[in-house]
């Protein structure tokens, strides 16, 4: 079970950036290289830390890990994209 949880935490960041990698023009202010580096960092942190699921007592370990991983990685990816956009916007004006 622990292996499956670690695989979920390792794969989620890459699953979240996949649409941006397939349509690179949607995020023109950031390179794909930085998206991959950030996803790799999130993936490694998720595997090393493997936080407890948010619904530990009410759902299975796999479902809880999927929900928690998507939630945490989506928030961190959104913050990263927002700051990179603001940095690019400030630099271009």
């Amino acid at each position: 079970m622990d292996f499956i949880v670690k695989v979920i935490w390792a794969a989620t960041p890459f699953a979240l950036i996949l649409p941006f990698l397939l349509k690179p023009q949607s995020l023109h202010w950031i390179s794909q290289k930085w998206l991959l580096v950030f996803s790799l960092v999130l993936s490694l942190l998720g595997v090393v830390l493997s936080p407890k699921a948010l619904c530990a007592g009410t759902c299975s370990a796999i479902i809880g890990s999927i929900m928690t991983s998507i939630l945490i990685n989506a928030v961190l990816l959104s913050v990263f994209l927002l700051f990179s956009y603001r940095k690019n916007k400030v630099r271009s004006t």
Side-chain angles (χ1 to χ4, degrees), residues 20-53:
F20 301 122
L21 295 177
L22 294 176
K23 290 196 133 227
Q25 65 272 20
S26 61
L27 296 176
H28 55 84
W29 68 88
I30 190 167
S31 70
Q32 291 181 343
K33 175 184 74 169
W34 284 111
L35 277 175
L36 286 172
V37 167
F38 187 71
S39 293
L40 180 66
V41 169
L42 283 180
S43 178
L44 292 174
L45 281 174
V47 169
V48 169
L49 299 177
S50 292
K52 285 189 176 181

Side-chain angles (χ1 to χ4, degrees), residues 5 23-24 31 45 63 73 75 79 86:
V5 170
K23 290 196 133 227
S31 70
L45 281 174
I63 300 296
N73 286 312
V75 167
V79 168
R86 292 194 59 166

Side-chain angles (χ1 to χ4, degrees), residues 2 4 13 16-17 19-21 23-24 30 35 43 46 48 50-51 54 59 66 68 71 77-79 81-82 87 93:
D2 190 46
I4 295 172
L16 289 174
I17 68 161
F20 301 122
L21 295 177
K23 290 196 133 227
I30 190 167
L35 277 175
S43 178
V48 169
S50 292
L54 294 175
C59 62
I66 291 171
T68 306
L71 178 70
L77 184 63
S78 299
V79 168
L81 291 175
L82 177 67
K87 180 181 171 186
T93 57

